[in-house]
Amino acid sequence: MTIDTLRRFFLPCFFPSKPQPIPFSNNPTTTTKKRPSTTTTTTTRPSSPSSSTSSTATTTSAAPPRPSKSMVIGTIFGNRRGHVWFCVQHDRLSPKPSLLLELPLSTNHLVREMRNGLVRIALECSPTRPDLASCPLRSVPLWTAFCNGKKTGFAARRRAGDSVRSILRTMQCVSVGAGVIPSGFGSGSEELMYMRANFEHVVGNADSESFHLINPDECPGQELSVFLLRSRLGALR
């Protein structure tokens, strides 16, 4: 299933001929695919201790630092006429997300961008207070948001309230997919559309993190990404 397949399920949720509620099962069966790991084997020729030490030192100094990577569960959801939310979980069974952002994008705006086949959401902050310049990146409360290079407004970090936790409990049986939560379920009065997938979480350094959608069929292309970036220029002024 590529991102095109996800769009075929996700986009009709916004323009259905008749609202279709998501099915619920007492014994849900979910599958999660893991990306194959690769092992690199290096063969070295025998050499003298001095030359071996020199070679090792040269290799260590020349190798750039590698970013830290891990897999998380990312959920994009929102009401038909509301803003889009981006939720990150390490465990889909836990109703408490590790990161919850309310984006300034409307649901219709996101749908239009997804129709183009490429979505890059960048959240940038230039902290002017010393505490924001040194705090963990995902603790920054306010971000300037860009979607595919265009400024769309400001995104905010939120705490998961009762309504969000109820939504996450409803989607516990979903590993990868898209659907609609019917109106009236939980505390919402409108239908809620969602798309859930595995994301690769990349930590570049203390000032940059990103989340890249992992295609279930292991295609190399990444067509949906969310970036968190902190600029030090504001803190130096």
Side-chain angles (χ1 to χ4, degrees):
M1 183 193 300
T2 62
I3 187 65
D4 294 328
T5 307
L6 288 178
R7 282 198 296 272
R8 285 199 296 271
F9 283 98
F10 188 52
L11 297 181
C13 296
F14 298 91
F15 306 100
S17 56
K18 183 178 180 181
Q20 299 293 333
I22 57 174
F24 293 93
S25 174
N26 293 329
N27 298 310
T29 302
T30 59
T31 58
T32 303
K33 294 184 178 181
K34 296 183 179 180
R35 306 184 71 186
S37 60
T38 57
T39 304
T40 303
T41 304
T42 304
T43 304
T44 57
R45 295 180 178 178
S47 58
S48 61
S50 59
S51 62
S52 177
T53 303
S54 176
S55 175
T56 302
T58 304
T59 303
T60 303
S61 61
R66 299 178 113 185
S68 173
K69 297 181 181 181
S70 62
M71 190 177 72
V72 297
I73 300 170
T75 307
I76 296 174
F77 62 91
N79 292 323
R80 195 178 298 274
R81 292 177 292 181
H83 285 173
V84 173
W85 295 66
F86 179 64
C87 172
V88 175
Q89 296 171 275
H90 291 282
D91 180 6
R92 63 181 174 81
L93 299 180
S94 173
K96 185 177 180 181
S98 59
L99 177 65
L100 181 64
L101 297 171
E102 183 179 6
L103 305 178
L105 298 170
S106 67
T107 304
N108 289 332
H109 186 177
L110 179 62
V111 170
R112 289 195 300 268
E113 296 295 337
M114 291 182 69
R115 283 176 173 171
N116 296 328
L118 181 68
V119 179
R120 296 287 185 268
I121 299 174
L123 306 180
E124 298 182 359
C125 68
S126 289
T128 56
R129 290 168 20 198
D131 57 334
L132 294 181
S134 59
C135 72
L137 190 61
R138 60 180 57 193
S139 298
V140 175
L142 194 66
W143 306 80
T144 303
F146 300 84
C147 182
N148 287 343
K150 297 180 181 179
K151 184 176 179 180
T152 57
F154 296 94
R157 179 178 60 88
R158 302 296 189 191
R159 296 194 177 201
D162 293 337
S163 60
V164 172
R165 295 192 181 198
S166 177
I167 291 170
L168 295 179
R169 290 191 188 98
T170 305
M171 293 186 289
Q172 282 182 349
C173 62
V174 180
S175 294
V176 176
V180 177
I181 297 179
S183 59
F185 186 87
S187 60
S189 58
E190 292 185 32
E191 293 178 340
L192 184 135
M193 281 63 65
Y194 70 88
M195 182 180 71
R196 171 171 280 198
N198 294 322
F199 283 73
E200 184 178 64
H201 178 208
V202 180
V203 180
N205 51 45
D207 297 324
S208 68
E209 294 185 28
S210 57
F211 301 89
H212 308 274
L213 184 142
I214 300 175
N215 290 320
D217 60 355
E218 299 172 3
C219 291
Q222 300 291 352
E223 301 184 18
L224 175 60
S225 299
V226 179
F227 299 86
L228 305 181
L229 305 170
R230 173 165 49 195
S231 172
R232 292 292 181 178
L233 296 178
L236 297 177
R237 290 176 182 175

